[in-house]
Amino acid sequence: MQILFLVWVIAGVASGNGTDESCSGLTGDSLEACQDAGDVGTTIGVGLIVAFWVAADFILALTYVIYRFATRQQRA
């Protein structure tokens, strides 16, 4: 599962690189503002992926702790 999230983050970062079709035809400050907006969107997207990654790891860890607690042997 960790590999899946790592690939997802890499794909998210890679999708934000390059020129954006919506910025074509713009020059000067307008082009810079359009590219900056795209960078902000990429940052937000990658941040959400990382947040999902942390949430999934937390849920898995909590499930593991509950399982280990439920299957431990009772002390005499």
Side-chain angles (χ1 to χ4, degrees), residues 23-65:
C23 294
S24 63
L26 298 176
T27 58
D29 288 339
S30 296
L31 176 62
E32 188 176 333
C34 182
Q35 290 172 339
D36 289 345
D39 292 343
V40 169
T42 300
T43 302
I44 291 171
V46 171
L48 284 173
I49 294 169
V50 171
F52 289 146
W53 191 350
V54 169
D57 282 348
F58 178 76
I59 291 168
L60 286 174
L62 186 62
T63 304
Y64 177 74
V65 167

Side-chain angles (χ1 to χ4, degrees), residues 1-15:
M1 185 156 108
Q2 302 300 322
I3 297 295
L4 175 68
F5 276 111
L6 184 61
V7 169
W8 197 11
V9 166
I10 292 170
V13 169
S15 71

